Amino acid sequence: DVKVTQSSRYLVKRTGEKVFLECVQDMDHENMFWYRQDPGLGLRLIYFSYDVKMKEKGDIPEGYSVSREKKERFSLILESASTNQTSMYLCASSLGRNQPQHFGDGTRLSIL
Amino acid sequence: QKEVEQNSGPLSVPEGAIASLNCTYSDRGSQSFFWYRQYSGKSPELIMSIYSNGDKEDGRFTAQLNKASQYVSLLIRDSQPSDSATYLCAVNGFDNYGQNFVFGPGTRLSVLP
C-alpha cells in the first residue's frame, strides 16, 4: 500500500511565523502535490512537483513556497503565516502520468 | 479553465438502495478518471479508477465512463450508513504545461438507516 506521511495532524502557529509542513512518501512516486481544503471551496492546488528540485505553481501559490530536495520528500513553506492560511493542508503523491493521487492524513493548521 | 462538475447534494438514499453519483468534465482530452471518498475531517481515499469507456465493477462499486458525453458516474449498490461521505470525482488530462489533475467539488451522500 502507498504510504504518504504528513509530519503533523494538528498545528497551531502565530501570524508572521515561518511554518514548515513536511510530507514523505514511501513508494518512489515521481509526482507530489500540496492542496488546501476549506469548507465550500473544495480542494485547491497550491504547488506540485514532477521531479526532484522541480516545482510548479498551482492555482493558489501566493504566500507559499515548496522544496523538493529528495524524491520522497516535499515540503510546503508558509513564508509569513497569516490568519487566512488557517486550513486543512493535504499532501498527495502519484506514480506518474494517468495514475491516481494518494493522500496523506492531512494537517489541520491554525494561525492565531 | 478545465472544469469538473458534480451536484453538491446532499444526496439521501435509504439503506440497501443504489446510490448514483454523477460527474461531468469539460476537457475532451481527459484520459483518466477517479472517484475518491472523503469522510468528514479525513483525507480523500481512492476507491475507483477508470480509463476506458464502459463499466468497471469493484465489489459494491461500479464506475461508468462515457467519453463522448463527457461524464463519469459512480454507482454504489446495497448502500450502507458507512457509505455516508463526500465523493470526489477527479479527472486527469494533459495540456502544454504538463499533467492537469482536476477535482470536482464533491457530492455529499447520506445513507439513511
Side-chain angles (χ1 to χ4, degrees), chain A residues 9 31 33 35 37 43 50 59 88 90 94 96-106 108, chain B residues 1 31-32 34 36 38 41-44 46 49 51 88 92 94 97-101 103 105:
Chain A
R9 286 285 285 128
N31 308 325
F33 307 83
Y35 295 89
Q37 188 174 36
L43 282 166
Y50 292 147
D59 298 321
M88 169 73 98
L90 291 159
S94 69
R97 290 189 160 211
N98 279 334
Q99 298 301 307
Q101 294 184 17
H102 300 270
F103 286 84
D105 288 338
R108 191 166 292 280
Chain B
Q1 180 77 1
Q31 300 179 13
S32 50
F34 310 98
Y36 290 81
Q38 186 174 24
K42 303 293 186 182
S43 62
L46 178 71
S49 303
Y51 299 92
L88 304 174
N92 197 21
F94 299 92
Y97 304 99
Q99 188 179 163
N100 188 356
F101 203 104
F103 283 88

Side-chain angles (χ1 to χ4, degrees), chain B residues 6-15 17-23 35 73-77 79-81 83-87 106-113:
Chain B
Q6 299 178 253
N7 289 328
S8 61
L11 172 66
S12 295
V13 300
E15 184 175 354
I18 295 175
S20 177
L21 305 164
N22 299 313
C23 170
W35 282 100
S73 62
L74 179 70
L75 301 178
I76 306 175
R77 290 183 300 281
S79 295
Q80 301 297 310
D83 294 325
S84 297
T86 296
Y87 289 81
T107 297
R108 190 153 53 93
L109 172 67
S110 179
V111 180
L112 306 174

Side-chain angles (χ1 to χ4, degrees), chain B residues 16 20 27 43-44 49 51 53 56 62 71 78 87 89 93 95 99:
Chain B
S20 177
D27 181 16
S43 62
S49 303
Y51 299 92
N53 281 330
K56 179 181 178 182
T62 299
Y71 84 78
D78 188 23
Y87 289 81
C89 172
D95 56 24
Q99 188 179 163

